[in-house]
Structures are given as structure tokens and as C-alpha cells.
Amino acid sequence: MLTTVGNKKKNKSAKWEAALMPRAIPLEKVRNIGIAAHIDAGKTTVTERILFYTGRTRKLGEVHEGAATTDWMEQERERGITITSAATACKWKGHFINIIDTPGHVDFTVEVERSLRVLDGVVAVFCAVGGVQPQSETVWRQANRYQIPRVAFVNKMDRVGADFHNVLHEVREKLGANGIALQIPIGAEDAFVGIVDLVEMKALYYRDDLGIQIEHAEIPADLKETARAFREALLEAVADQDDVVMEKYLDGEPVEPDELRVAIRKATVACKLVPVLCGSAFKNKGVQALLDAVAAYLPSPQDVPPVVGQSPLGDEVVRAPSDDEPFAALAFKVFTDPYVGRLVYLRVYSGRVAAGETVLNSRSGQKVRLSRLVRMHAADRSEELPDAGTGDICAAVGAKEVTTGDTLCQLGEPVILESITFPEPVISVAIEPKTKADEEKMDAALERLAGEDPTFRRYTDAETGQVIISGMGELHLDIIKDRLFREFHVEANVGNPQVAYKEAITQPGEAEGRYVMQRGGRGHFGVVTIRVEPMEPGGGFEFESRIVGGVIPPEFLPAVQAGARDAVQSGVLAGFPVVDLKAIAIDGKSHEVDSSEVAYRIAASRAVRAAIEKAGPVLMEPIMSIEVITPDEYLGDVMADINGRRGQIESMETTAGGSRAIRGFAPLSEMFGYATALRSLTQGRATYTMEPHSYRQVPEKIQREMVGRVGVTRPASDDDFAG
């Protein structure tokens, strides 16, 4: 009997794997989508229902019970939030759907960024009560940057205060999107029982708790006028984008549902319309209709423009979405699995590749063997793939020396696809291992974590010798610390969070740097004059040589550039990195025998540091964009507290639920512990969100205090560069 049961399970697994083979499904039936939204809008619950209704899972996993399939990390299940993006796949009505469930917390926005980079469509989930929230806007801007078609799903229609029409208005007003309702709800809050399909002009009622028994009926009498008005608005919006619908609409002829779907799809793929649907994922209402919309309106890999990259020589290379093209894939995520080691997540843009095949990493020029290919189902990597083709999202086991943003391509057909840019960390803590054994384990663990997360940095402070780890926020570093302790079993002491300040200059400055040394025999000689100039915010660091007449031999200019780059790693005020600076080499001297790379590197570093001192150096601090939702009776106290934290209130409005939404900016250094302070001020009734916005000059008084407290950092010594 046990053998029979085992065979049945094996047969079911084989049947499922055969059904998931993507080439068995035409490329036009493939959908690569992401589920994205503000924290607590219900993204993971939507994903769980999709997996259940498509047969990918047998039971419903609830986030609040720590049983969600895509929230597989211990930290995710304990906190009830998504921390890392999780990939899975399913089938729906002849379509193959790759899904990435992304985090909603701003500290993990890198997971959204790299997921959107490789996706063809997005389901943007909005809370029917909260509407368009700050992280919703961030995700929307990210999708705009990549020109990704979207479908909006207004979730939590069963919640007290749910208002579909308000959310639809906010999608249009706050996001500037051409949001068009394809559905309207039947009831709201406890009375939410179904939806009106405006394409078919039919009502859908959900008659059981699992949402499987769906009754198609006539539109309720009290909603008929509203439905007709929304249908008219839908036809007008689509007619503006489609000539066939326009002609029928102007002639007063009926537009058939299939004709309307074709036109909606065309406009959605072109990012000219955003279909808006509604439901309650937790109460199992509206998810099947959302799946229908994903299949009907979001693009296949064939519907998006061919991917454009560069050859190693800088020529433009175009890869069409076809298995007949040379293989090209982008590595968008790296994860270390405790059992199989390094997993590199790939999006295949063209061609096919077999498991065991060797490909080229076009960034490094190294050959990479893809020993195994697997399709991920959250943390489950048991589904082996014999090969992967255009449109696939899979993971390669092994693939050493591949990092996020690398392009893997066919040998002899090199192409470098556009990489992924990530924000700089804004917060740091010092971490010290308790024992020598912990030190070795910590070094290995931090290296692995940095390889997985491009927004996580680690370095050793030159002054104190401490290891400093940096991230996007307090929660981000809390998760890193928790993983160090639990996953890697590292015992360490962790300091208090510190702000990642930077330094900048306010005016041009110029100085000469010299390094001349004679020790008998051949010495070292390097003299260089460098001018520094401020750049626009976000400009980073640039180097330019205006050396003429050979006063510095050309072979030493790379050393001059390296020395200038060394100097900006530690500023002259408090040792923070110098940003938004351009260094220009304008003059110098050389010696026919003693000139050396070491000498010019040290001389350039000294010149830049001296020039910075003359260029009005200032400290720059990270400024956070904040939004506080508070009951009206606490408004005065909350505003006074924000002002006391050097915050600036930009706007204030009344929310749909009658609370007040305060939006503004505040320095990160003043916002540590704000969650506790806000709970105290409002008896736990207010909420807030915060995300990095920009860097701004620290007020002069505070700068004097900080510089006095830290002390001026030592000048760069010869030993720093002698190697």
C-alpha cells in the first residue's frame, strides 16, 4: 500500500512538472509578473490565493499564521512581512505564469527594484482602506522607470472603511495613472459579496468561504445606473486608444466583450491604461477574476520590445524574444542555499540553454558552467529543468563569480545587458565578534550576505579597526543581525545605529600635492596639482585630466586618478566619504628616473585632500520622506514632535477614514526610536512610514558639534598607499 501511495505521489509530481514545461506552452501564453505594493496591502495573501486557485498548492497559507508559501524565512514568518522576493510559477487556463512576490517595506526596496528589472507586467495591490500609500508611490515610480504595464487590484474590500472609488481616484490623482475600472464592488466592508464585471456587464457572487462557487447573475437593480456610468467611462477611455472601438462607440453600435478585451490589452501593454479590479484576497473573493485579467491584459515576452545591450566593444546589440536567437540572460538575484550552495536567479531574454552547459559572463569575461537549472517555488528548488528558454525565470545552481546585474550569454555571442542600479545605504552599526572563531565565521557570513544583497555593505574602519555594516534602515540591519546569529551562528556584539553621513564641497579649490623621497638608489618622485569642483547632487565622483605638455607622463595618470579616488573615501571634516566632487589634474612635475606610480598616487591623494580643505567642506545628512497617519485629536502633538526633530511638514490632508495624513521630511539622525515616541504620543493609534529621499547639508551649529566630537581625521599616511 505504501508503494502504491508513493507511486501516486510520484506520478502527480511528474504530471505537474510536465505541465510546467514552458516550451509546451506557446511564448505568447507566458506571463512574467510581480506582485508589488505598500507594506500590509495584502500582496503575499494575493499570491497565496493565486497558487491555491491554480492548483500549485493544496491549502491556503495565511501570513498571520506564519504559513504563507512565499514567506519562507524564519524572520518573515515571525514578523508577518515579506523580506526577500520569492519566485514561483503556476498555470491558469492555458497560460504559464511566473510570479515574483516582492516586499512592501521600504528597507527592502532593492528586492522590488531588481524584480521589476526582469518582469514584463505588475499587479499593483492597493489597500481599499489605506489607498495609495508612500511605498505604493515608490513602486509605481520604479515601474514607470522600466515602462512596465500594470493591473491594479484594490484589495481588502471586506475591511471597515473600504472605499473602492476613493482608491480609484487616488490612483489617478496621486500616481498620474490612467486608471480605468473594469469592475466595481457589490457592497463593501461586511456587506462585500461580489463584483460587477463591466466588460461582460454581469454580476459575480461568491457563494462559499473558499471562493470556488461563483454565481454569474444579473447586476443588482441598485447598481445598474452606477454600472452603466462606469461602463460608459470604460468605453470612452478605450475608444481614445483604439480606432475599432472608437468607430463603434461614435456610431452607437454595441462593443462586444472580446473586442473590448483586445483593445484593453493593446492599451495596457502600451502603458496607456491601467485596468483596476477589486476584491478581498483574505476572504477569497476576486482572485480568479484577477488571474483572468493577468492572462487577458498583461504582456507576454513577445509583447515587450527586444532587449538591447552592448557588445564588449560598445556596439549596440539587440536580442529578440525568440528561442532561435543566441542565449542571453540577466542575473537579477543571488542567494546562498544551505544545502546546494549558491543560487543565481536568471531571466532568460533570448535563446535556450541546457543544464550543464557552459556560458559566458560578459562582465568578467569568465566562463560559467550552469551545472543545474531549477524552477523555484519560494524556497523549494526540487523541480529540475533540463533546459531554459526565452521568457523563463529560473535559478542556476553553482554559477560562481556571478553577481547581481551580470549578463550570461552564449559563448562567441557576447552581449552586456543594462545592469541594475541600487541606492546607497543610509545607516550603519559597528559589530564585533566575541571570539576568534566567531571572527572567522562572521567574515564568511558577511561576505555571503553582501553577495546576496547589493544594498548591504561591510568595511573595516581605518581609525578604530571595527567592522561596520551598513544598510537601508533599522529593520534591514535588524534582519542582517538576526540572520548572523541564527543562520550563521555568529556570536557578536552590535553597537547602536549610526547615520551614514557624507561630506561635500561648496566651492572650487586647488592645491598641490608632493611626494618626494630619496633613500639611496632609486627614490620616489611625484608632484601634481589638482582642482576640485562641486557637482550636482547625485553626481558621485569624476576625474578629469587636463595635463598638457607631458609634465606628468601618461603612464602615471591612472595612478593620479587612483590617488584622487583614495582621498574622497575619507573626508577632511569627520572622515565620511566625499560625494558630488570632480577632481581635475591641471599640472605636475616628473623626474626622469624617480617618478613612480606610488609617488603620484600619494601626491594626488594629498593634493585632493588639501584642495577639499580650501573648497568649503560641509557635512551632508540623509533626509527621510515621512508620512504619519494620526487621529485628529493627536494632530497638534504629532506636528510639534516632527518640528522638534528638525522636520519640515510639506502637506496635510484628511484621509477617507477621517484621520489626518501628515507628509514631510526629517533628518534620519532625529528619527531613531520614532515608532516608540509616536505610540506614546497617540496611545498606539497612529502609524507612519519613512523612506530615504535625499542628502542635505547639516546645519552649521550641529556640524561644529559633530566635528568637535569626532575630531579632524588624520591625513592620509604614506603607508596607506605604499602597497
Side-chain angles (χ1 to χ4, degrees):
M1 179 64 77
L2 287 174
T3 304
T4 304
V5 172
N7 287 338
K8 283 183 178 178
K9 286 185 176 180
K10 188 173 181 180
N11 289 338
K12 281 184 179 180
S13 176
K15 183 178 178 182
W16 172 249
E17 289 178 11
L20 282 181
M21 289 300 290
R23 279 296 74 80
I25 297 174
L27 194 55
E28 62 267 20
K29 296 287 187 180
V30 174
R31 301 288 182 269
N32 291 321
I33 67 166
I35 313 292
H38 186 87
I39 190 171
D40 204 32
K43 300 175 304 302
T44 301
T45 304
V46 169
T47 306
E48 286 297 314
R49 272 33 178 197
I50 287 175
L51 296 177
F52 176 74
Y53 291 126
T54 58
R56 191 67 166 103
T57 56
R58 302 295 182 188
K59 64 177 183 177
L60 295 172
E62 303 296 357
V63 174
H64 63 277
E65 295 174 357
T69 303
T70 53
D71 283 353
W72 56 271
M73 294 175 65
E74 289 182 31
Q75 293 83 357
E76 292 177 314
R77 292 180 170 176
E78 288 177 354
R79 291 169 168 82
I81 62 171
T82 302
I83 292 169
T84 183
S85 56
T88 184
C90 59
K91 283 185 68 182
W92 180 254
K93 296 182 179 179
H95 291 76
F96 183 85
I97 306 174
N98 287 305
I99 302 171
I100 298 181
D101 178 29
T102 65
H105 197 285
V106 66
D107 281 16
F108 310 107
T109 191
V110 60
E111 295 288 337
V112 184
E113 182 76 25
R114 59 181 169 189
S115 298
L116 291 180
R117 171 66 178 82
V118 299
L119 292 171
D120 301 324
V122 166
V123 175
V125 181
F126 299 95
C127 174
V129 181
V132 175
Q133 297 167 285
Q135 186 65 4
S136 309
E137 298 182 55
T138 300
V139 169
W140 203 267
R141 287 194 300 270
Q142 289 171 310
N144 283 341
R145 185 160 60 249
Y146 293 115
Q147 284 293 293
I148 299 177
R150 275 143 279 179
V151 167
F153 182 68
V154 181
N155 192 28
K156 302 192 177 184
M157 284 301 305
D158 60 302
R159 290 273 301 275
V160 174
D163 188 339
F164 172 80
H165 304 287
N166 179 65
V167 180
L168 179 61
H169 172 75
E170 288 192 348
V171 166
R172 294 168 177 167
E173 294 298 314
K174 290 186 177 181
L175 303 179
N178 191 7
I180 301 299
L182 302 192
Q183 302 170 350
I184 56 174
I186 301 175
E189 302 179 352
D190 290 342
F192 177 62
V193 293
I195 56 179
V196 173
D197 183 342
L198 298 172
V199 176
E200 294 282 353
M201 286 303 281
K202 292 286 184 181
L204 280 66
Y205 291 95
Y206 296 86
R207 297 305 191 189
D208 68 326
D209 290 340
L210 286 178
I212 295 173
Q213 297 177 16
I214 303 173
E215 178 188 341
H216 295 255
E218 292 297 316
I219 298 172
D222 61 337
L223 272 180
K224 281 188 176 178
E225 281 302 315
T226 303
R228 275 196 287 267
F230 272 90
R231 165 80 174 193
E232 190 72 13
L234 171 60
L235 289 173
E236 284 185 15
V238 176
D240 286 342
Q241 308 296 333
D242 186 87
D243 293 338
V244 174
V245 175
M246 170 72 81
E247 188 174 338
K248 286 198 168 189
Y249 179 70
L250 293 177
D251 292 342
E253 297 179 24
V255 180
E256 295 300 320
D258 287 343
E259 293 177 314
L260 192 53
R261 289 191 189 93
V262 170
I264 293 171
R265 175 180 177 76
K266 180 181 174 183
T268 302
V269 170
C271 294
K272 294 180 179 178
L273 285 183
V274 177
V276 182
L277 301 90
C278 62
S280 169
F282 183 63
K283 293 298 179 69
N284 308 312
K285 295 178 173 69
V287 178
Q288 295 98 320
L290 174 62
L291 277 164
D292 289 339
V294 167
Y297 307 125
L298 289 181
S300 74
Q302 287 184 332
D303 295 318
V304 297
V307 66
V308 178
Q310 289 186 330
S311 73
L313 298 177
D315 299 325
E316 183 177 286
V317 178
V318 178
R319 290 280 189 265
S322 168
D323 285 346
D324 298 328
E325 289 274 306
F327 170 72
L330 185 72
F332 67 94
K333 180 175 178 175
V334 175
F335 184 76
T336 304
D337 186 282
Y339 300 103
V340 300
R342 192 178 178 85
L343 283 172
V344 177
Y345 286 68
L346 301 174
R347 159 65 195 265
V348 182
Y349 284 98
S350 65
R352 293 192 75 78
V353 66
E357 191 172 338
T358 298
V359 296
L360 176 70
N361 181 343
S362 57
R363 174 191 62 84
S364 64
Q366 293 180 320
K367 293 180 180 180
V368 178
R369 185 173 182 269
L370 306 179
S371 58
R372 291 167 56 200
L373 296 173
V374 295
R375 176 167 286 115
M376 300 298 296
H377 177 51
D380 182 1
R381 44 173 165 63
S382 61
E383 188 184 335
E384 298 267 350
L385 297 176
D387 60 7
T390 303
D392 274 354
I393 292 177
C394 61
V397 178
K400 295 179 180 179
E401 306 303 326
V402 177
T403 61
T404 300
D406 283 358
T407 302
L408 300 183
C409 54
Q410 185 175 315
L411 293 174
E413 297 284 351
V415 60
I416 303 171
L417 302 180
E418 181 186 355
S419 190
I420 310 171
T421 56
F422 301 107
E424 290 291 318
V426 296
I427 188 171
S428 303
V429 297
I431 182 166
E432 294 181 347
K434 291 185 176 180
T435 67
K436 183 67 175 177
D438 284 321
E439 181 178 357
E440 294 173 358
K441 285 194 293 185
M442 188 179 80
D443 286 343
L446 291 178
E447 185 175 351
R448 283 173 58 180
L449 291 171
E452 293 177 12
D453 185 351
T455 59
F456 170 67
R457 309 283 172 81
R458 49 81 62 99
Y459 64 94
T460 302
D461 187 284
E463 293 291 315
T464 64
Q466 288 180 308
V467 175
I468 308 295
I469 59 174
S470 303
M472 298 305 296
E474 290 181 88
L475 179 59
H476 186 195
L477 291 184
D478 279 345
I479 299 299
I480 294 290
K481 289 184 288 185
D482 199 48
R483 289 188 65 188
L484 279 175
F485 300 153
R486 288 198 203 182
E487 195 175 319
F488 299 99
H489 309 293
V490 173
E491 294 291 329
N493 297 315
V494 181
N496 293 322
Q498 302 292 325
V499 176
Y501 290 96
K502 297 185 185 300
E503 298 184 22
I505 58 174
T506 56
Q507 63 194 38
E510 184 179 311
E512 180 186 82
R514 303 173 62 87
Y515 184 70
V516 179
M517 180 176 290
Q518 285 293 146
R519 290 177 175 171
R522 182 171 178 176
H524 291 287
F525 182 95
V527 178
V528 59
T529 301
I530 291 181
R531 175 182 173 85
V532 296
E533 297 177 354
M535 297 171 63
E536 291 295 317
F541 170 79
E542 281 188 16
F543 176 81
E544 180 184 344
S545 172
R546 296 182 187 170
I547 299 295
V548 294
V551 292
I552 296 178
E555 62 267 26
F556 295 124
L557 289 178
V560 173
Q561 180 174 355
R565 192 174 293 276
D566 291 336
V568 299
Q569 301 305 310
S570 175
V572 300
L573 292 176
F576 297 110
V578 185
V579 296
D580 306 331
L581 177 143
K582 183 174 185 178
I584 306 166
I586 57 176
D587 199 2
K589 296 178 183 177
S590 64
H591 188 282
E592 59 183 10
V593 175
D594 291 344
S595 289
S596 66
E597 289 187 2
V598 169
Y600 278 111
R601 185 167 181 170
I602 295 173
S605 178
R606 290 177 173 177
V608 169
R609 291 183 67 84
I612 289 173
E613 290 179 348
K614 299 177 181 179
V618 293
L619 282 180
M620 306 290 286
E621 63 181 342
I623 302 299
M624 311 302 285
S625 171
I626 59 173
E627 180 181 70
V628 182
I629 308 295
T630 178
D632 194 63
E633 58 262 39
Y634 305 111
L635 181 64
D637 291 339
V638 171
M639 292 179 64
D641 185 65
I642 292 173
N643 288 328
R645 296 172 183 270
R646 295 196 284 127
Q648 295 180 344
I649 296 172
E650 295 289 306
S651 66
M652 185 172 56
E653 60 186 54
T654 303
T655 68
S659 296
R660 293 298 190 98
I662 305 168
R663 293 186 177 88
F665 305 97
L668 174 60
S669 60
E670 303 287 349
M671 297 302 289
F672 290 133
Y674 186 62
T676 302
L678 187 63
R679 280 197 297 269
S680 176
L681 284 172
T682 64
Q683 299 182 13
R685 296 175 62 191
T687 61
Y688 84 103
T689 55
M690 181 170 69
E691 63 179 315
H693 180 266
S694 60
Y695 269 80
R696 188 174 64 195
Q697 185 175 337
V698 173
E700 188 175 345
K701 179 182 177 182
I702 296 176
Q703 177 173 310
R704 284 200 302 269
E705 292 174 356
M706 289 183 62
V707 172
R709 188 166 61 244
V710 175
V712 178
T713 57
R714 63 175 175 81
S717 74
D718 301 344
D719 295 335
D720 290 335
F721 312 107

